[in-house]
Amino acid sequence: MLDKAIISADRALRTLLGVPLPGARPTPSVDGDASSSILNERERRHAASLMRVNHTGEVCAQALYQGQAMTSRSKALKAHLRQAASEEQDHLSWCAERLAALGGRASLLNPAFHAVSFCLGAAVGLHKEETGLGFVSATEDEVCEHLDRHLQSLPEGDHASRAVLEAMREEEAGHGSDAMRAGGKTFPEAIKGLMRLTSKVMTASTYRV
């Protein structure tokens, strides 16, 4: 348990400080150019705010998976979480890189959202494997809906951010479908509604702060 706590603390610090793990995949780009965007100042600020929201979302994803993996007793679920967390770490790096390119900064609320997400993940990990997998699926469904909204809201000329979000959406959808195929249970609409409300709070706050 002490080893798990130390590893979790290390990953939390890396997540919050923006220190990438070794072996991260390169950021998706358009025609090999991750900076290929033509934006005016208003569009740049809007795109940066959207990418800040997405960056916080990936901070939360890391915390959820870390917390769930630490308390879960299911080896199969732990393996699924490790694979998903590896890709989510790449997403975090991609968002951070694009956010910096747009002249933006990470949300000041990231430590709070990370702490809440970690505790939530740890609580879910104490339940049965099918509940944990179902939670992954429900979370990824919400993430995909969120990314769809951002893809519609991005400035038309921001091809670089669009390439990042499209690559993320494809992999997020895969995480959710993989979890259901592995035996995840469908969550009630009431719980999904609460998750949706929480997502809206995170989105509205980190867009500005």
Side-chain angles (χ1 to χ4, degrees), residues 10-11 14-15 32-33 74 85 104 110 121 124 135 139 153 202 208:
D10 176 70
R11 293 187 69 93
R14 286 177 177 271
T15 297
D33 181 5
S74 167
N110 279 351
V124 171
F135 179 74
T139 299
S153 182
M202 183 274 286
R208 295 176 175 82

Side-chain angles (χ1 to χ4, degrees), residues 146-176:
H146 159 86
L147 289 173
D148 286 340
R149 291 192 294 270
H150 277 205
L151 283 167
Q152 293 178 357
S153 182
L154 272 177
E156 185 176 347
D158 191 358
H159 306 300
S161 295
R162 189 172 302 278
V164 169
L165 296 190
E166 286 177 345
M168 286 171 54
R169 194 205 183 285
E170 181 178 356
E171 292 187 352
E172 303 286 7
H175 298 164

Side-chain angles (χ1 to χ4, degrees), residues 1 9 13 16 22 45 63-64 75 79 93 115 132 140 147 151 158 209:
M1 183 58 71
L13 287 173
L16 293 172
R45 288 198 302 268
L64 283 169
K75 292 183 179 180
S93 297
E140 297 296 8
L147 289 173
L151 283 167
D158 191 358
V209 182

Side-chain angles (χ1 to χ4, degrees), residues 68 77 124 128-141 176 179-180 183-187 192 195:
Q68 197 172 350
L77 178 55
V124 171
K128 294 180 180 179
E129 179 182 316
E130 63 180 16
T131 301
L133 289 167
F135 179 74
V136 170
S137 177
T139 299
E140 297 296 8
D141 285 346
M180 291 305 290
K185 78 173 191 177
T186 302
F187 272 34
K192 288 184 178 181
M195 295 172 70

Side-chain angles (χ1 to χ4, degrees), residues 58-73:
E58 295 304 322
V59 167
C60 291
Q62 284 295 310
L64 283 169
Y65 286 144
Q66 289 165 23
Q68 197 172 350
M70 188 177 77
T71 58
S72 175
R73 297 181 179 179

Side-chain angles (χ1 to χ4, degrees), residues 17 118 126 166 195:
L17 296 177
F118 184 88
L126 296 172
E166 286 177 345
M195 295 172 70

